[in-house]
Amino acid sequence: MSNNEPEIQLIDVGGQKLRTAVWKSEGNDRPILFFNGIGANLEMVAPLGEMMQHRSDVIVFDMPGIGGSPKAKIPYRSSTITKWANKILDHLGIDEVDVMGISWGGAVAQQYARSCPERAKSLVLLATSAGMVMIPGNLSAITKMASPKRYVDPDYMMKNFETLYGDIVDSSARGHKTRIQPPSVQGYMYQLLAMIGWTSVHFLPFLKQPTLVMSGDRDHIVPLANSRLLKSLIPHASLKIVKGGGHLFAVSRANQVIPIISSFLNDHAEPKANSA
């Protein structure tokens, strides 16, 4: 068990407060800005933050109405999220980051890389897609993803875990369950609305960042074909397939996945540009 607890604070990003965590590192590499999946609170990223302790800081924030962030007054779009992320980095005194995102957060990470190339130096996309053109997953899994019930009722999640994610129920899955804070319905719905109609297809060929795309070959929600599409569209992309991995391979196969991510980031590393 790691004793690397994150530093957590509420940061005002212009009238909206966002609960933000920083897992501090003993290393001197560029910090990682991580965009989480839909409905997911920042504690669910704990395995990543703890396993990156040797390398770089990891920054994660709860979206409005998720985890410990207050609800948003009005719906927002992905462009708003990139502005929030920049205000958080400004607050923390960080100039450059490696950007990482999983599932819904992977789409936001693509948008951030496009909107802020001067700040986003490399990109890691986990179990994600190019948005509305995505190759759909298993109908049963997609149906269950349409509501936040899996977060509200942990027993429901565990009963449907393999159907939902494609991952088997093991100690990693049970650990995932213990870190969940149920999202508000409004928070979850605003996250869905933020990406409706969004796609990255038109700008992916112009991304400059070196990019690592990772996918599990048992992902029931975002099938592997989506990662192959991302790899084909992004000029400087490589694809790693996690054999037997489902949608949550980053959690269920963390011991296998984190070294791959670390190796990729090290290949494109520079000392962090600035830190408060």
Side-chain angles (χ1 to χ4, degrees):
M1 177 73 72
S2 169
N3 59 4
N4 184 22
E5 295 293 330
E7 297 177 4
I8 298 179
Q9 58 182 310
L10 274 177
I11 297 177
D12 192 319
V13 293
Q16 173 69 52
K17 291 186 177 181
L18 296 176
R19 181 172 173 258
T20 303
V22 181
W23 276 268
K24 301 296 288 186
S25 166
E26 301 161 351
N28 195 40
D29 289 299
R30 268 195 306 259
I32 294 170
L33 174 64
F34 188 93
F35 292 102
N36 218 339
I38 189 167
N41 51 286
L42 59 83
E43 283 80 1
M44 294 165 77
V45 184
L48 172 69
E50 293 168 359
M51 294 186 70
M52 283 290 179
Q53 184 177 8
H54 68 287
R55 188 187 182 281
S56 54
D57 294 355
V58 176
I59 303 146
V60 188
F61 60 92
D62 284 336
M63 298 301 297
I66 308 298
S69 287
K71 297 177 183 176
K73 294 178 181 177
I74 58 174
Y76 53 85
R77 297 290 290 171
S78 59
S79 57
T80 309
I81 303 171
T82 64
K83 293 176 183 175
W84 290 341
N86 278 334
K87 287 183 180 294
I88 286 172
L89 295 180
D90 290 344
H91 179 88
L92 297 173
I94 295 171
D95 291 336
E96 297 179 352
V97 289
D98 296 318
V99 181
M100 191 181 308
I102 186 168
S103 194
W104 182 92
V108 179
Q110 293 168 58
Q111 184 63 53
Y112 189 85
R114 181 222 186 173
S115 300
C116 308
E118 73 289 348
R119 206 161 207 173
K121 297 304 179 183
S122 65
L123 182 61
V124 178
L125 302 175
L126 308 171
T128 193
S129 75
M132 67 178 183
V133 299
M134 75 173 283
I135 294 93
N138 179 284
L139 181 60
S140 179
I142 296 296
T143 302
K144 289 179 173 60
M145 284 287 290
S147 88
K149 184 176 180 179
R150 66 191 184 284
Y151 291 134
V152 177
D153 183 351
D155 291 335
Y156 173 86
M157 168 182 272
M158 299 309 290
K159 182 180 178 181
N160 294 281
F161 199 87
E162 189 165 359
T163 300
L164 266 166
Y165 301 117
D167 300 274
I168 62 172
V169 178
D170 58 10
S171 59
S172 296
R174 287 185 281 274
H176 181 73
K177 171 186 169 184
T178 64
R179 291 187 288 271
I180 292 173
Q181 293 181 27
S184 70
V185 173
Q186 187 213 65
Y188 194 90
M189 292 303 148
Y190 276 13
Q191 280 192 275
L192 283 174
L193 289 171
M195 304 308 285
I196 284 183
W198 177 91
T199 182
S200 56
V201 164
H202 61 290
F203 69 74
L204 288 179
F206 303 101
L207 288 185
K208 305 296 186 187
Q209 295 89 349
T211 301
L212 173 64
V213 182
M214 296 191 73
S215 179
D217 62 357
R218 284 173 49 84
D219 191 333
H220 291 176
I221 296 171
V222 184
L224 173 58
N226 290 283
S227 290
R228 295 192 191 282
L229 177 62
L230 291 174
K231 198 269 180 184
S232 72
L233 292 173
I234 301 172
H236 308 291
S238 58
L239 171 64
K240 295 289 185 183
I241 301 170
V242 180
K243 298 293 184 184
H247 193 63
L248 295 181
F249 67 83
V251 174
S252 63
R253 306 294 182 93
N255 289 333
Q256 174 185 352
V257 169
I258 299 299
I260 295 173
I261 294 173
S262 294
S263 177
F264 167 78
L265 294 177
N266 289 341
D267 286 344
H268 304 284
E270 295 173 8
K272 50 189 173 186
N274 194 19
S275 182

